[in-house]
Amino acid sequence: MKKVLITGGAGFIGRHLADHLVRHGDYRVTVLDNESLGDRRHLDLDAVRFIKGDLRDREQLRAALTGQDAVVHLAADTRVMDSIEDPANNFENNVVGTFNLLELCRELGVPRVVAASTGGAILGDVPPPVHEEMAPRPTSPYGASKLMLEGYLSAYSAAFGVSGCALRFSNIYGPRSFHKGSVVAHFFKQILADQPLVVYGDGSQTRDYLFVGDLVAGITDAVESDAEGAYQLGSGHGTTINQLLDAMRSVTGLDLDVRYEDFRAGEVRDTWCRIEKARAGFGFDPATPLEDGLRTTWRWFTTAGR
Ligand code: UDP
């Protein structure tokens, strides 16, 4: 049985990953989370060990890491605007936190680290499809923190034999995302509250929407592989907001109240990614069509709801 620690595991993605690993049966899962955004009550505490702790506290981290076979490192402050307002805080959370984690992996002999990264914030506004060979050019402290994570993973692999890879997540949606501000969760909440959906621009902007079930299957495959370096994880194609709205009309059966406003200043217009490297590296195979994923997500919003 493989022992896996998930940092930040009480959040949206971590909860899905913990369930996925436990259901596969061969994993003993520990979640480390400071509960700043996540909440342990969302975990199946009969199946998962929970430790409240922060990556900036080395002793808490040491206790959580001791005896682990692998770490999935999801804990991070992911809010771009917050990182611009308070870069030092982002640095402490993301850069110092990741450094502490890797140092302790080296010291304790934890052999494998798979960490969450991002394409968008590392690469800036570049023509899609986004891929791993593009030169990094972060435009926010958050993006810089993820580039540093990728740098340290590479260094700890090469210098100390801590095998690691960085997974650059696209726009992830799915059940249990009620607290998220990303567009799918936001639109579903607006619909439930009988509020209009505001589109920034004419709705032609594209994003790469990946169903959380496909993401956690990919993370698991990455843990099991010895892949190193950066990998884009997305659906592999772009979807416009107007296409997303059509799919939402179809799954909700509702005539949505949509209003169009100006494009948001500074926002990337089009971004979607190439996923061939992850396919070749560890068999990443996102299979859920957008409409199926949205149907599952909408069902959760209208039944469980939180
Ligand atoms: N978006 C929108 N209305 C909203 C929220 C988002 O039109 O109320 C658009 C936004 O302009 C972007 C896309 O939805 O093109 C995805 O936004 P999200 O915040 O999920 O992700 P990000 O922009 O960070 O990729």
Side-chain angles (χ1 to χ4, degrees):
M1 179 174 278
K2 188 174 269 189
K3 294 191 196 118
V4 178
L5 175 71
I6 309 174
T7 73
F12 164 49
I13 293 168
R15 280 140 57 185
H16 280 274
L17 178 63
D19 279 355
H20 184 82
L21 291 174
V22 166
R23 255 188 287 117
H24 276 65
D26 261 357
Y27 298 94
R28 179 121 125 253
V29 177
T30 303
V31 162
L32 176 73
D33 198 292
N34 66 10
E35 293 188 300
S36 62
L37 290 172
D39 187 324
R40 78 185 74 177
R41 286 173 303 175
H42 293 132
L43 292 163
D44 177 0
L45 293 171
D46 294 329
V48 172
R49 174 176 163 231
F50 179 81
I51 300 176
K52 180 165 175 138
D54 194 290
L55 298 186
R56 290 164 295 185
D57 182 327
R58 279 194 182 220
E59 290 321 305
Q60 285 175 339
L61 197 50
R62 184 191 305 279
L65 275 170
T66 300
Q68 300 292 347
D69 299 307
V71 185
V72 178
H73 177 36
L74 303 176
D77 192 337
T78 60
R79 289 162 296 193
V80 172
M81 290 320 295
D82 287 6
S83 83
I84 292 171
E85 270 156 37
D86 189 353
N89 186 54
N90 187 273
F91 183 86
E92 286 291 330
N93 266 315
N94 293 6
V95 182
V96 176
T98 299
F99 177 75
N100 287 343
L101 179 80
L102 288 171
E103 264 295 272
L104 284 164
C105 285
R106 166 166 92 101
E107 183 189 313
L108 298 168
V110 178
R112 180 82 179 139
V113 180
V114 171
S117 188
T118 169
I122 285 184
L123 298 172
D125 201 351
V126 289
V130 164
H131 60 81
E132 298 84 355
E133 300 307 314
M134 288 175 153
R137 192 172 298 141
T139 51
S140 65
Y142 166 66
S145 77
K146 287 296 180 180
L147 185 56
M148 288 185 75
L149 170 142
E150 295 192 356
Y152 274 100
L153 278 176
S154 170
Y156 273 65
S157 291
F160 307 121
V162 180
S163 162
C165 72
L167 305 179
R168 295 177 172 179
F169 300 169
S170 65
N171 199 310
I172 312 300
Y173 71 96
R176 305 200 264 177
S177 56
F178 197 89
H179 62 293
K180 301 301 286 184
S182 48
V183 68
V184 172
H186 177 65
F187 278 179
F188 278 158
K189 283 185 278 189
Q190 290 292 98
I191 296 169
L192 286 173
D194 230 352
Q195 295 294 313
L197 309 185
V198 174
V199 172
Y200 302 121
D202 61 5
S204 65
Q205 68 265 46
T206 50
R207 291 291 185 276
D208 189 324
Y209 298 98
L210 178 66
F211 184 61
V212 69
D214 288 334
L215 175 75
V216 299
I219 296 173
T220 307
D221 290 339
V223 168
E224 290 301 331
S225 77
D226 52 10
E228 299 195 340
Y231 294 83
Q232 296 283 161
L233 296 190
S235 68
H237 53 256
T239 300
T240 68
I241 289 290
N242 288 329
Q243 288 168 331
L244 182 71
L245 287 167
D246 281 343
M248 286 182 161
R249 281 189 191 92
S250 164
V251 305
T252 61
L254 297 171
D255 191 18
L256 304 178
D257 177 7
V258 179
R259 308 196 181 161
Y260 289 84
E261 291 185 359
D262 289 342
F263 277 109
R264 272 198 296 205
E267 195 170 83
V268 171
R269 200 60 69 86
D270 295 305
T271 180
W272 49 278
C273 65
R274 214 148 78 186
I275 55 173
E276 276 64 31
K277 188 178 173 196
R279 253 189 226 290
F282 44 87
F284 179 55
D285 184 26
T288 309
L290 181 64
E291 212 168 293
D292 292 359
L294 288 175
R295 189 168 294 111
T296 304
T297 307
W298 176 242
R299 199 177 305 128
W300 181 85
F301 271 85
T302 51
T303 53
R306 236 162 228 281

